[in-house]
Amino acid sequence: MYRLTIKTGFAAAHNLINYQGDCENLHGHNWKVEVTVTARELDQAGLAIDFKVLKRETNALLDELDHKYVNQHHFFQDISPSSENISRYLFHELSKRLNDNNIKVERIGVWESDNACAEYYE
């Protein structure tokens, strides 16, 4: 098995729902996002997946959130846009775009600060 990870990010505002504290107020983060995929085999070029493709698909998805109010995104209409829920959303959406007979999204890590990360995996 091979494991590949990229790091990227986005900046956006949100407020947590049903949270008793300051984070229930509107605030923003410069989120860092780690995407890890696995592959069983390499292609003829010796690649599991081109990093360029992995970055392009990830950043296309992050463009939906970048410099936006995350609470207004369709996925977060009924759930709190916590780092946990953002990581789950990104996992499922990237899985639709990338998973095939060889590539599988393994985990998504969403860092809301240098010291706090939520990961989602299945």
Side-chain angles (χ1 to χ4, degrees), residues 33 42 51 74 84 90:
V33 176
L42 303 179
F51 280 120
H74 66 87
E84 293 87 344
L90 295 175

Side-chain angles (χ1 to χ4, degrees), residues 15-106:
N15 61 285
L16 298 180
I17 300 167
N18 297 319
Y19 180 83
Q20 304 300 312
D22 290 340
C23 291
E24 198 160 25
N25 297 320
L26 179 64
H27 64 284
H29 296 282
N30 291 315
W31 275 284
K32 303 294 183 238
V33 176
E34 293 181 11
V35 175
T36 300
V37 300
T38 59
R40 290 187 324 274
E41 300 174 1
L42 303 179
D43 64 15
Q44 291 179 333
L47 304 175
I49 183 174
D50 192 331
F51 280 120
K52 187 184 330 180
V53 171
L54 188 53
K55 290 175 188 176
R56 181 185 68 225
E57 294 300 324
T58 301
N59 287 328
L61 184 57
L62 293 181
D63 281 346
E64 296 177 13
L65 303 175
D66 190 42
H67 286 82
K68 304 282 189 333
Y69 176 42
V70 179
N71 296 62
Q72 292 179 335
H73 187 277
H74 66 87
F75 184 81
F76 300 101
Q77 292 298 302
D78 297 319
I79 63 170
S80 188
S82 62
S83 293
E84 293 87 344
N85 283 327
I86 292 171
S87 63
R88 181 179 61 160
Y89 169 73
L90 295 175
F91 180 94
H92 287 138
E93 291 303 311
L94 275 176
S95 294
K96 291 177 193 174
R97 294 173 184 224
L98 297 174
N99 286 7
D100 59 22
N101 291 332
N102 189 42
I103 300 298
K104 182 178 185 309
V105 174
E106 180 181 65

